[in-house]
Amino acid sequence: MNVRESVKPAVWGAIGGAVVSMVIGFNWGGWVTGGTAAKMETAGAEAAIVQTFTPLCVARGLEQPDMVLAMKEESTWKHDDYVVEAGWVDNVSDKYRVTVARACAATLVEGLKAE
């Protein structure tokens, strides 16, 4: 038996082991690609910003109950515009302003339904 023939099984075993490791890692091990990790990071940052600024917006809205009642009468599609125009999310970056406004409006309207 020459050296070449004895190396073949070892090489194929290493290749097979690498493939099996990747399949297990990506399917069940929680591995992700760099692109997926970046998307997850962005989504997490946005969620944190919304969770932080929504209570502040709601507090501002509760200071103006007439505007909240007027907003309730508007179409759901216009609620976030109402919140932005009222200035309740002026302290939020433009990038996240609409998302925070939607969460704020939904919270305020839900609060009115509960009453």
Side-chain angles (χ1 to χ4, degrees):
M1 181 180 217
N2 67 29
V3 175
R4 191 176 221 179
E5 289 177 14
S6 65
V7 172
K8 278 185 181 180
V11 170
W12 283 112
I15 291 171
V19 170
V20 169
S21 295
M22 286 188 289
V23 169
I24 290 172
F26 281 106
N27 286 323
W28 299 289
W31 297 358
V32 294
T33 63
T36 301
K39 289 177 187 175
M40 291 168 62
E41 178 184 7
T42 301
E46 184 172 321
I49 288 170
V50 170
Q51 287 177 350
T52 301
F53 284 102
T54 298
L56 299 172
C57 174
V58 169
R60 287 182 176 177
L62 294 176
E63 292 173 357
Q64 300 174 352
D66 295 339
M67 290 192 70
V68 174
L69 289 172
M71 179 180 64
K72 182 183 176 192
E73 302 303 320
E74 291 289 331
S75 166
T76 305
W77 294 102
K78 294 183 180 181
H79 286 177
D80 56 335
D81 293 334
Y82 218 88
V83 171
V84 171
E85 289 172 13
W88 299 340
V89 289
D90 286 345
N91 59 339
V92 180
S93 166
D94 289 339
K95 183 176 180 180
Y96 302 107
R97 187 168 290 153
V98 173
T99 308
V100 173
R102 284 185 187 135
C104 178
T107 303
L108 288 167
V109 170
E110 283 297 316
L112 288 176
K113 288 179 184 177
E115 290 179 358

